[in-house]
Amino acid sequence: MFNARAYAAASATSPLAATRIQRRDPTPTDVQIEILYCGICHSDLHTVRNEWSSIMPTVYPCVPGHEIVGRVTRVGSAVKGFKAGDLAGVGCLVDSDGTCPECQAHVEQFCPGAVFTYNGPDKHLGGRTFGGYSDGIVVDERFALRVPANLDPAGAAPLLCAGITTYSPMRRQGVTQGKKVGVVGLGGLGHMGVKFARALGAHVVVFTTTAGKREDALRLGAHEVVVSRNAGEMAKHAGSFDFILDAVSAEHDVNAYIHLLRRDGNLTLVGAPEKPLPVSSFGLLFGNKSLSGSLIGGIRETQEMLDFCGTHGITSDVEVIPIQKVNEAYERMLRSDVKYRFSIDMASLKAE
Ligand SMILES: NC(=O)c1ccc[n+]([C@@H]2O[C@H](COP(=O)([O-])OP(=O)(O)OC[C@H]3O[C@@H](n4cnc5c(N)ncnc54)[C@H](OP(=O)(O)O)[C@@H]3O)[C@@H](O)[C@H]2O)c1
Ligand SMILES: [Zn+2]
Ligand SMILES: [Zn+2]
């Protein structure tokens, strides 16, 4: 084992603070990665504050972070796909049993033995897994991704969660040219959703509560922007969408978006608010509409998404911050004051 620097929360109400954690020495199939950048996902905040206590209670200390890009420093003797010096990514998953039907279907996130990058059961050291707010991580090479060399590593880090979480449902729902696609909530996930929908050829409409994001939404690739608090603007789009991706982190009215779907249209929730959202069944009945959820994506599809980003030159729009600003960044994220993802420069951790 070796020591790594990290930022951890000691309880649901404590700020994140510098600490030391233990990482395992690489097994024959592991890669050791020096973390260069880690994105800040709203799920980090939900977990640190134990907002998902009824589904996945947080065990403290908690080191969040699952949008990791770094440099491989060491590989186990049986590792085939990586060598020291390679750029590598780690997303939300670090392990699965590799044999069950879900793993065979390449949706390891649904494996009964899936281990999330943080707050998951650590099979090697006991206790809980520690995530990417750290200067190093050790993972089985099955869960390390290749990051295209033409992508800026700070902007590529958020692809490992925000990227795959928006790419996967769009591919599954057949987003393509000629489709009208809505993206609700222009945050970390939402702005990636806009970029993917545009790159896939759809007509893209952003729904935002923040009127000041209008220009940005258009620059990011939206064809139209609707300020969702404006009932008149909403009404113009009634019954017209093939697909809407809802990436909102807090309570809001999903029925208003179901109303905007055309016959057979689909609304997929990727946002994971703390409290349940009321749904009117009549909104779905009239028009044979469907409401779905989507959880990140499997490893194979995550690699496909990264390669797609390499081909199309897609990265996240990031504000790079030192780790010492992480608590302030959480408060700003809650105020929707982030354009459009914080990416932590892990070099700043050397000062701790
Ligand atoms: N399904 C998955 O696998 C998965 C993966 C990652 C994250 N998530 C979840 O997805 C959600 C979004 O994550 P994120 O990192 O993109 O968060 P984020 O950057 O904070 O973005 C959330 C956006 O939601 C909108 N919003 C916030 N509060 C709102 C409210 N009260 N009413 C209406 N809109 C509101 C804001 O957009 P506007 O200013 O444009 O209105 C905000 O920018 C979180 O719940 C996160 O845990 C799920
Ligand atoms: Zn995430
Ligand atoms: Zn499995």
Side-chain angles (χ1 to χ4, degrees):
M1 284 191 300
F2 64 98
N3 269 316
R5 292 183 173 85
Y7 257 53
S11 77
T13 51
S14 342
L16 291 146
T19 186
R20 292 284 197 279
I21 56 170
Q22 305 251 283
R23 298 293 196 187
R24 67 179 182 267
D25 289 318
T27 69
T29 59
D30 281 341
V31 296
Q32 183 175 331
I33 297 166
E34 179 195 358
I35 300 175
L36 300 175
Y37 294 96
C38 184
I40 298 181
C41 178
H42 208 113
S43 303
D44 302 351
L45 187 155
H46 288 305
T47 304
V48 159
R49 301 192 178 175
N50 204 13
E51 290 174 357
W52 294 337
S53 57
S54 56
I55 315 283
M56 297 183 268
T58 306
V59 177
Y60 297 92
C62 173
V63 177
H66 56 206
E67 296 184 333
I68 298 166
V69 167
R71 192 69 67 188
V72 175
T73 52
R74 209 160 36 133
V75 299
S77 55
V79 168
K80 294 201 173 64
F82 291 90
K83 58 180 189 323
D86 286 351
L87 206 56
V90 179
C92 304
L93 291 166
V94 290
D95 210 351
S96 73
D97 63 20
T99 55
C100 75
E102 309 291 9
C103 288
Q104 281 168 20
H106 301 283
V107 282
E108 298 87 356
Q109 69 271 36
F110 304 125
C111 172
V115 178
F116 289 114
T117 304
Y118 58 81
N119 199 42
D122 188 328
K123 293 180 189 164
H124 298 264
L125 300 180
R128 292 278 142 170
T129 51
F130 292 135
Y133 295 9
S134 172
D135 56 2
I137 192 164
V138 178
V139 294
D140 189 288
E141 78 160 320
R142 289 192 297 129
F143 294 88
L145 285 303
R146 271 170 295 283
V147 178
N150 61 318
L151 301 181
D152 163 50
L159 301 176
L160 276 304
C161 175
I164 183 59
T165 301
T166 50
Y167 179 87
S168 181
M170 287 200 184
R171 294 310 299 259
R172 198 162 53 247
Q173 294 291 337
V175 169
T176 183
Q177 205 162 1
K179 302 281 181 179
K180 186 173 174 184
V181 170
V183 175
V184 188
L186 196 65
L189 265 56
H191 92 291
M192 290 312 308
V194 171
K195 291 186 185 208
F196 287 131
R198 182 68 191 239
L200 292 167
H203 181 85
V204 187
V205 182
V206 163
F207 295 92
T208 179
T209 57
T210 314
K213 290 182 182 174
R214 193 183 286 273
E215 292 307 314
D216 280 345
L218 296 171
R219 177 180 55 77
L220 290 163
H223 296 91
E224 297 178 65
V225 184
V226 172
V227 176
S228 52
R229 300 192 199 280
N230 183 326
E233 277 188 60
M234 292 286 281
K236 281 187 205 152
H237 291 274
S240 67
F241 282 89
D242 297 286
F243 173 67
I244 300 178
L245 184 78
D246 184 329
V248 173
S249 52
E251 274 174 275
H252 63 292
D253 180 19
V254 292
N255 301 296
Y257 296 101
I258 292 170
H259 182 66
L260 304 188
L261 294 172
R262 60 185 295 165
R263 175 168 61 79
D264 288 330
N266 172 266
L267 173 69
T268 293
L269 301 177
V270 287
E274 182 177 0
K275 300 205 178 82
L277 301 166
V279 175
S280 151
S281 48
F282 281 102
L284 293 168
L285 268 48
F286 283 91
N288 297 350
K289 298 170 183 179
S290 63
L291 175 63
S292 308
S294 192
L295 184 73
I296 49 174
I299 295 298
R300 188 162 83 171
E301 193 177 37
T302 304
Q303 189 62 59
E304 176 192 307
M305 177 275 311
L306 285 168
D307 296 342
F308 181 90
C309 289
T311 304
H312 294 267
I314 294 175
T315 52
S316 173
D317 284 29
V318 288
E319 178 177 338
V320 177
I321 58 162
I323 194 144
Q324 290 78 9
K325 291 217 163 143
V326 67
N327 294 303
E328 185 186 323
Y330 275 26
E331 295 310 316
R332 285 182 52 196
M333 184 159 63
L334 282 174
R335 295 197 301 268
S336 298
D337 175 26
V338 45
K339 293 184 170 174
Y340 278 85
R341 197 57 139 187
F342 291 111
S343 186
I344 304 168
D345 179 355
M346 232 31 95
S348 59
L349 199 49
K350 291 192 180 26
E352 300 288 350

